[in-house]
Amino acid sequence: MLIRAGYELILGVNVPTAMTAMLKVHPSRAADLRTPQAVVTSPALPTRDYIDQFGNICTRMVLPPGDTVLSCDVVVEDSGMPDPQYLDAIQHPVDDVPDDALIYLLGSRYCETDRMSALAWSLFGHVEPGWGRVQAIVEYAHHRLEYGYEHADATRTANEGHEHRVGVCRDFAHLAIALCRCMNIPARYCTGYLGDIGVPPAATAMDFHAWFDVYLGGGWHVFDARHNHPRIGRILMAHGRDATDTALTTTFGPVWLNGFKVHTDEVYSVELTPA
């Protein structure tokens, strides 16, 4: 399966403003790219990439006063299969968790494990460790929160989402991540593309999506508390402890979002534009 994905963001600033962006497909999917990917800017700006501590591609630039358009259009090859399910994947004792996964057991900006530990153990302490325990957490988060764009709040934490019982996809992910970590299951936040492939088209405008991975059975596995069922065509852009580590854009000064479009669609051929 071929998936055409991309975006157009319009950002406005009053003075020259430094910015980093995580708007490229994650290096783990590099072999699946069927067209070159680049963050195209208008006006044309100098940019440079680096790899952060979580393995994400970050693009640095300085926005000039006025509006800057950031865009990308890329074709990615995908298996066309739903998210894999490994129902017999075991939960590792903490002393067997790899060193580089230990950070995903700790509390973070949006996932306050200290405030949610007692709740988590009361809800899931009786559930057998492993895939089933994670699925029980996903089910809980999926039904606990009411989804809606009108509920978006950039500062809402997992505990606040649990109390308010509303949110967008990042809130579903944060809640499930926090509960997993409380139960000693490494969990990391993921962001990327997820189009309406294999499901009825959504009534709302397309957006980027947030889900999470957990470490079970010696590997990382995808879970999605917002949708709560395997999906086709998930394309990772960045992962980290929570939304702080995976922000699409981080500006070092005031900025206004003056335009936002995302597209993710199945296509049947690769069209290359001559240089």
Side-chain angles (χ1 to χ4, degrees):
M1 170 186 289
L2 297 177
I3 299 173
R4 180 187 174 208
Y7 55 82
E8 180 184 271
L9 310 181
I10 305 175
L11 303 176
V13 297
N14 289 332
V15 298
T17 303
M19 185 184 80
T20 62
M22 293 188 193
L23 291 168
K24 290 189 173 182
V25 173
H26 193 268
S28 61
R29 298 296 303 268
D32 298 326
L33 296 177
R34 294 297 169 260
T35 59
Q37 70 164 338
V39 178
V40 178
T41 67
S42 178
L45 303 176
T47 65
R48 68 178 180 89
D49 290 346
Y50 72 95
I51 303 296
D52 72 4
Q53 65 267 42
F54 300 104
N56 306 313
I57 303 175
C58 303
T59 304
R60 296 185 65 172
M61 67 191 75
V62 176
L63 303 178
D67 283 353
T68 298
V69 180
L70 309 179
S71 63
C72 180
D73 196 45
V74 66
V75 175
V76 181
E77 185 171 346
D78 190 78
S79 69
M81 300 297 293
D83 302 321
Q85 305 289 287
Y86 298 90
L87 304 185
D88 58 350
I90 64 167
Q91 178 177 337
H92 296 274
V94 174
D95 57 338
D96 287 341
V97 171
D99 296 344
D100 60 359
L102 279 174
I103 192 172
Y104 299 111
L105 285 175
L106 306 179
S108 56
R109 164 68 177 87
Y110 291 104
C111 300
E112 356 50 322
T113 52
D114 55 339
R115 294 190 173 188
M116 305 199 73
S117 181
L119 171 70
W121 281 97
S122 70
L123 291 172
F124 309 109
H126 67 285
V127 181
E128 184 176 353
W131 191 276
R133 176 177 276 177
V134 177
Q135 186 56 50
I137 290 171
V138 168
E139 293 275 354
Y140 180 81
H142 178 75
H143 293 291
R144 177 74 182 183
L145 303 183
E146 174 187 317
Y147 178 85
Y149 276 114
E150 68 275 16
H151 302 315
D153 182 343
T155 65
R156 183 185 292 122
T157 67
N159 188 58
E160 290 168 345
H162 186 266
E163 292 180 353
H164 300 164
R165 305 195 67 164
V166 296
V168 291
C169 57
R170 63 179 264 159
D171 299 296
F172 285 78
H174 283 152
L175 177 55
I177 288 168
L179 294 172
C180 282
R181 291 178 185 172
C182 288
M183 301 306 299
N184 296 328
I185 304 166
R188 65 188 184 190
Y189 183 95
C190 301
T191 185
Y193 297 99
L194 182 63
D196 299 323
I197 298 173
V199 298
T204 55
M206 195 166 289
D207 197 350
F208 294 110
H209 185 56
W211 62 92
F212 70 107
D213 292 340
V214 299
Y215 188 84
L216 294 173
W220 290 99
H221 305 286
V222 170
F223 285 86
D224 191 330
R226 161 70 181 98
H227 294 297
N228 194 26
H229 61 82
R231 292 287 298 267
I232 297 170
R234 202 180 296 271
I235 302 173
L236 179 68
M237 294 170 68
H239 59 220
R241 292 167 297 182
D242 57 30
T244 303
D245 297 328
T246 62
L248 298 172
T249 60
T250 300
T251 53
F252 298 88
V255 63
W256 293 268
L257 180 61
N258 295 328
F260 182 88
K261 297 178 182 178
V262 178
H263 61 268
T264 314
D265 302 289
E266 183 180 3
V267 294
Y268 300 95
S269 64
V270 178
E271 298 180 3
L272 296 176
T273 302

